[in-house]
Amino acid sequence: MESLTFSIALLILLLNSFAFSLNSDTDKNALISFKNSITSDTNAILSTNCSQNTSVCNWIGVSCGLKHGRVTALNLSRYDLAGTVAPHVGNLTFLRYLDISSNSFVGMLPFELSKLRRLKVMNLGTNSFTGEIPKWLGSLPQLEELYLYNNSFLGKIPSSLFNNSKLQTLQILRLSSNKLSGSVPHAIFNVSSLREIGIGNNSLSGRLPIDMCNNMPNIKFLSLSRNQLEGQIPSNIWKCTHLDVLSLSFNNFSGSIPREIGRLSMLTELYLGYNSGFQGSIPICQNLQQLYLDNNKFTGLIPLNIWKCKNLEILNLNINNLSGNIPHTIGNMSMLRELGLGLNHFTGIIFCFENDDLYSFVLRITHALEGLIPPNIWKCKNLEILELGLNNFSGNIPRTIGNMSMLRGLGLAWNHFTGISYT
Ligand SMILES: *[C@@H]1O[C@H](CO)[C@@H](O)[C@H](O)[C@H]1NC(C)=O
Ligand SMILES: *[C@@H]1O[C@H](CO)[C@@H](O)[C@H](O)[C@H]1NC(C)=O
Ligand SMILES: *[C@@H]1O[C@H](CO)[C@@H](O)[C@H](O)[C@H]1NC(C)=O
Ligand SMILES: *[C@@H]1O[C@H](CO)[C@@H](O)[C@H](O)[C@H]1NC(C)=O
Ligand SMILES: *[C@@H]1O[C@H](CO)[C@@H](O)[C@H](O)[C@H]1NC(C)=O
Ligand SMILES: *[C@@H]1O[C@H](CO)[C@@H](O)[C@H](O)[C@H]1NC(C)=O
Ligand SMILES: *[C@@H]1O[C@H](CO)[C@@H](O)[C@H](O)[C@H]1NC(C)=O
Ligand SMILES: *[C@@H]1O[C@H](CO)[C@@H](O)[C@H](O)[C@H]1NC(C)=O
Ligand SMILES: *[C@@H]1O[C@H](CO)[C@@H](O)[C@H](O)[C@H]1NC(C)=O
Ligand SMILES: *[C@@H]1O[C@H](CO)[C@@H](O)[C@H](O)[C@H]1NC(C)=O
Ligand SMILES: *[C@@H]1O[C@H](CO)[C@@H](O)[C@H](O)[C@H]1NC(C)=O
Ligand SMILES: *[C@@H]1O[C@H](CO)[C@@H](O)[C@H](O)[C@H]1NC(C)=O
């Protein structure tokens, strides 16, 4: 019995080492084919560092598993390589990490890559791949990060990638800067493992599902900017409790911003500019650092309690229909370094920021104000850019502006100043 066990063990060992060399040969052949389909290798990386004589595990960019000696990672990012991806890469069945981003690969993704069942990370960003986003990506059972940004992928984002419980391990999806069209498949918002979705700068249209955040407990980064999306921000946005960055700018969204957005305590950057359709009042979110609402239809007053956004660094309200006085409470927002109030309908006079902590400050107010520029403007001594053009200021330009040593940009054109000019 013992000797039988021993024999079986020995047999398994022999078979294993046989399989080992056979499979290593498979990896080597796959990598040789990969290398052979590269047409340009400006830095001669592959010819000098992938000698047929050395083990592939010592080739540049290749990592192998310790136990089985099989190729587990291929990392050839930023090597200035051009060519196509050989279908043989699909034979690297132990591959967990594939990064050939920032090169000049062309063509379609070979179907054979669907054999990479152990793949966790696929980064093909910044190349010139074309064709539709392959449906077989949805059958990679362990995929966690998929980067296809900045290529020439076209057509629709296949919804079958995500539905029927596919890609349920996916955490990062980056498809931005391609030529994708059609709508954003609602099934994306059902992949509850997702932490980052970037699909900006395509030609996507349609609306967001009203139940968008019902099943996105982990989402931190959501960018849909620079598309042709329309409709409203789903009111259950507050259920995306971990949201840190939300970018919907340069689309055709409209409606008011759900008040509940104020419940997103981790939201630090909110980009809603250039939709020309957002309206209503300005949202107050406690931990925001950057708020872009420019080029929309916001009306009414800037809320007095804007100071509650105490971490705000950038507030851009340019090109809206806001009116009334600019609240003096803005003056005590100590983190603020850029304030855009241009092209609105503010009345009243400019207040001064007396906050010494402002270290680098940009203030743009145009089409809004009248009266005199307050002589105590020099107290904003860290002001770097002061744009007050296209207002109705009159009187003298205060001499004290000359004391503002940090000032590198000053715009005073299109006002009604009188008196002499000086430098
Ligand atoms: C490539 O091989 C050359 C010569 O063996 C060596 O000097 C160089 O460091 C290698 N480059 C990398 C990136 O491993
Ligand atoms: C490859 O290895 C063989 C024997 O190990 C050696 O004779 C030969 O010169 C090597 N070729 C290259 C290109 O290094
Ligand atoms: C891949 O290579 C890039 C650039 O050399 C490097 O920044 C990155 O950490 C590498 N990734 C892995 C997993 O080795
Ligand atoms: C590897 O892949 C290629 C192309 O997909 C195929 O022709 C070949 O038979 C595969 N197997 C081995 C062991 O190389
Ligand atoms: C996108 O790709 C182009 C070349 O195709 C490159 O010049 C540009 O830097 C890339 N952009 C990003 C954000 O990677
Ligand atoms: C899943 O995707 C397929 C193909 O796009 C579609 O026909 C089907 O309706 C989708 N199912 C669900 C539940 O969304
Ligand atoms: C958008 O994508 C195009 C390529 O499709 C690229 O040239 C352009 O730089 C991208 N724009 C931004 C803002 O990323
Ligand atoms: C999301 O998942 C729920 C429950 O699993 C399912 O009923 C619904 O059809 C899915 N929605 C989409 C758009 O796939
Ligand atoms: C934006 O939406 C409005 C209606 O809400 C529509 O009239 C307009 O044509 C849309 N613009 C674009 C560029 O899609
Ligand atoms: C701007 O707001 C005023 C009221 O404050 C309103 O009368 C006017 O119609 C608005 N203009 C636009 C273009 O929405
Ligand atoms: C800012 O101003 C508001 C309203 O006047 C006040 O309640 C708040 O305490 C001030 N905050 C700071 C930090 O000065
Ligand atoms: C500036 O004043 C003129 C008349 O003095 C007035 O017609 C114009 O509407 C004013 N512009 C602004 C932006 O207040």
Side-chain angles (χ1 to χ4, degrees), residues 126-128 149-150:
T126 301
N127 278 289
S128 300
Y149 60 88
N150 209 12

Side-chain angles (χ1 to χ4, degrees), residues 335-409:
M335 305 300 282
L336 208 59
R337 56 189 163 78
E338 185 170 335
L339 176 61
L341 301 176
L343 290 164
N344 278 285
H345 296 103
F346 294 113
T347 50
I349 58 157
I350 185 173
F351 58 92
C352 189
F353 300 89
E354 301 202 19
N355 198 322
D356 280 345
D357 297 337
L358 301 178
Y359 59 98
S360 144
F361 203 85
V362 180
L363 176 63
R364 286 198 174 82
I365 309 180
T366 57
H367 282 89
L369 304 165
E370 56 189 5
L372 303 176
I373 294 184
N376 67 349
I377 186 86
W378 66 273
K379 285 188 178 172
C380 308
K381 48 179 174 292
N382 294 317
L383 214 53
E384 284 187 12
I385 293 176
L386 176 61
E387 171 59 74
L388 296 174
L390 285 162
N391 281 293
N392 264 349
F393 286 118
S394 53
N396 283 331
I397 299 167
R399 252 171 217 283
T400 52
I401 284 182
N403 293 350
M404 298 169 68
S405 58
M406 303 298 285
L407 209 59
R408 358 179 226 103

Side-chain angles (χ1 to χ4, degrees), residues 93-112:
T93 47
F94 279 70
L95 205 61
R96 281 188 277 124
Y97 186 96
L98 173 62
D99 183 354
I100 53 170
S101 61
S102 298
N103 284 293
S104 302
F105 285 100
V106 297
M108 311 226 265
L109 301 185
F111 173 74
E112 286 77 3

Side-chain angles (χ1 to χ4, degrees), residues 1 42 56 160 404:
M1 190 64 194
T42 332
V56 289
S160 63
M404 298 169 68

Side-chain angles (χ1 to χ4, degrees), residues 48-49 60 79:
T48 52
N49 298 60
I60 190 165
Y79 278 121

